[in-house]
Amino acid sequence: MNHSEEMPTGNTADVSEERDDKRQMPSSGRRSFLGLLLGAGAATVGAVLSLPLLRFVLHPIFNGKIPSSWKEVCDVEDLAKVTTPVRKLVKIEQRDGWRKLVTEKALYVCKDANGKLCAFSSVCPHLGCSVSWHDEKNNFVCPCHNGQFTAEGKLLAGPPPRGLDQLEIKVEGGMLMVHYQNFRQLIPNKEVIA
């Protein structure tokens, strides 16, 4: 048997190295492609997760103030014979992030010295307690610190820095409408807050 014919002559190590180089070339291309794919996926996930944070940070810039609207109080005919302040409730909608809150706020409707309708917030300008009308005293009384107000909302006694806050009203289609707002407490002048 002739061994020289069966066994290839030459550098067998060179041939195997060439085969290994050919195998490694595509392998490194796949690795870089998978690395690119992984990086793009991570960047996409990071961008998607940062959108709520961006929205939170930029929300005040784009949404500013929520416009306040006019709310129906009652039929004007129901108030024709009113001689003392009447407590009424209005539904107020507020947005808190993604929640929509609907609350009922109390106000008092009465007639001024000229017989025109007017409305007052039931929130005391001292510390925000709810005032109530007392027929026997013929005035509004705040139960927290005994603040007292006339039927026209003027301060009579107690620690509140100003009289009751008057609300804007109008009559539309026979209905009394009120522009309900909240006001800052503990200051002598009426200042609207959100």
Side-chain angles (χ1 to χ4, degrees), residues 114-139:
N114 300 329
K116 286 180 64 179
L117 289 175
C118 59
F120 294 100
S121 172
S122 67
V123 178
C124 180
H126 180 228
L127 293 177
C129 300
S130 292
V131 299
S132 58
W133 175 256
H134 291 266
D135 282 327
E136 65 278 356
K137 293 182 179 180
N138 201 32
N139 63 10

Side-chain angles (χ1 to χ4, degrees), residues 24-189:
Q24 287 177 359
M25 288 293 265
S27 177
S28 67
R30 277 189 231 138
R31 284 184 187 148
S32 62
F33 173 72
L34 288 174
L36 246 155
L37 192 63
L38 184 63
T44 302
V45 168
V48 168
L49 292 177
S50 67
L51 285 177
L53 180 64
L54 269 170
R55 185 173 174 188
F56 174 76
V57 170
L58 299 176
H59 180 75
I61 295 170
F62 293 120
N63 287 359
K65 272 188 161 181
I66 298 171
S68 54
S69 60
W70 291 85
K71 302 293 179 187
E72 287 185 0
V73 178
C74 64
D75 195 344
V76 175
E77 292 178 12
D78 295 344
L79 302 170
K81 297 180 182 178
V82 168
T83 55
T84 60
V86 178
R87 185 174 191 259
K88 296 288 182 181
L89 296 174
V90 292
K91 288 187 179 183
I92 307 297
E93 294 177 4
Q94 295 174 319
R95 286 243 175 241
D96 181 20
W98 290 274
R99 293 185 316 162
K100 178 179 166 184
L101 302 172
V102 179
T103 56
E104 285 190 329
K105 301 287 186 173
L107 58 94
Y108 283 93
V109 179
C110 57
K111 291 184 179 177
D112 63 11
N114 300 329
K116 286 180 64 179
L117 289 175
C118 59
F120 294 100
S121 172
S122 67
V123 178
C124 180
H126 180 228
L127 293 177
C129 300
S130 292
V131 299
S132 58
W133 175 256
H134 291 266
D135 282 327
E136 65 278 356
K137 293 182 179 180
N138 201 32
N139 63 10
F140 291 102
V141 177
C142 177
C144 296
H145 300 101
N146 200 28
Q148 297 182 20
F149 308 89
T150 66
E152 292 83 31
K154 294 179 183 165
L155 180 63
L156 283 175
R162 63 177 186 271
L164 289 177
D165 297 317
Q166 190 167 358
L167 302 169
E168 293 178 62
I169 60 168
K170 66 180 179 181
V171 177
E172 258 184 28
M175 294 295 291
L176 179 67
M177 308 285 284
V178 66
H179 184 216
Y180 193 89
Q181 295 175 306
N182 293 314
F183 302 97
R184 189 172 308 281
Q185 287 113 27
L186 292 173
I187 59 172
N189 300 318

